[in-house]
Amino acid sequence: FDPDKPGTTGETLEVLTKSLAGLEHKYLIVLNKVDRLTNSVDLARAEGTLSWALSKVIPQNDIPTIWSTYVPRGSCAEGQPIEEENEFLPLEAFRRRREDLVYEITRAKARHWDNVITSFEETLRQAEMMAV
């Protein structure tokens, strides 16, 4: 989601309510381009609007974590991103948050196998109860 359009579109609502129903625990919600905001009030407004929109389609008491981040522009010869300056927001904190998000994304396969094992354990418990 982009901060200048934090509301969810009809297509997004349909995907979240129909195609991805029951998978809310797997969502990674990303509010991108926070470096384009000019103050913390705009950030709070964007996150609040997105949270409100998501609360209408995600049937949980708490919505998933919103990963507020940005993609640094440009690169230098060593391949390291050039961090842009934003005097209004702490981009270093968002850079660390982006690293955490990348880590969570790379853990997807491990989480998948954890879910498979948990599901198998539940099936075995149910089979054991039926056998008794």
Side-chain angles (χ1 to χ4, degrees):
F1 297 94
D2 291 341
D4 56 339
K5 298 174 256 176
T8 53
T9 64
E11 181 180 312
T12 303
L13 294 175
E14 186 174 341
V15 168
L16 292 175
T17 57
K18 295 180 181 172
S19 301
L20 298 175
L23 301 174
E24 293 84 6
H25 62 286
K26 296 183 179 187
Y27 292 171
L28 291 176
I29 308 293
V30 179
L31 179 63
N32 198 19
K33 302 179 184 176
V34 296
D35 58 323
R36 295 187 182 177
L37 298 172
T38 58
N39 58 57
S40 58
V41 173
D42 288 344
L43 175 63
R45 185 176 295 124
E47 284 191 355
T49 302
L50 179 57
S51 297
W52 182 83
L54 291 172
S55 72
K56 301 298 181 194
V57 296
I58 298 177
Q60 295 179 335
N61 289 339
D62 298 320
I63 61 168
T65 300
I66 296 176
W67 298 84
S68 297
T69 187
Y70 72 103
V71 177
R73 298 181 203 144
S75 63
C76 63
E78 294 83 40
Q80 296 297 321
I82 296 173
E83 298 293 335
E84 292 193 29
E85 296 296 321
N86 183 323
E87 61 187 84
F88 306 108
L89 295 172
L91 292 186
E92 177 61 25
F94 290 115
R95 184 193 60 74
R96 286 192 307 271
R97 191 73 170 150
R98 184 179 65 246
E99 290 171 359
D100 294 343
L101 173 61
V102 169
Y103 174 74
E104 284 299 313
I105 291 169
T106 59
R107 285 189 47 235
K109 191 155 190 94
R111 282 194 314 269
H112 165 74
W113 287 113
D114 184 56
N115 291 340
V116 168
I117 292 168
T118 301
S119 176
F120 183 64
E121 287 176 339
E122 182 61 29
T123 301
L124 289 176
R125 279 191 203 97
Q126 292 174 356
E128 181 181 37
M129 289 178 64
M130 296 298 275
V132 174

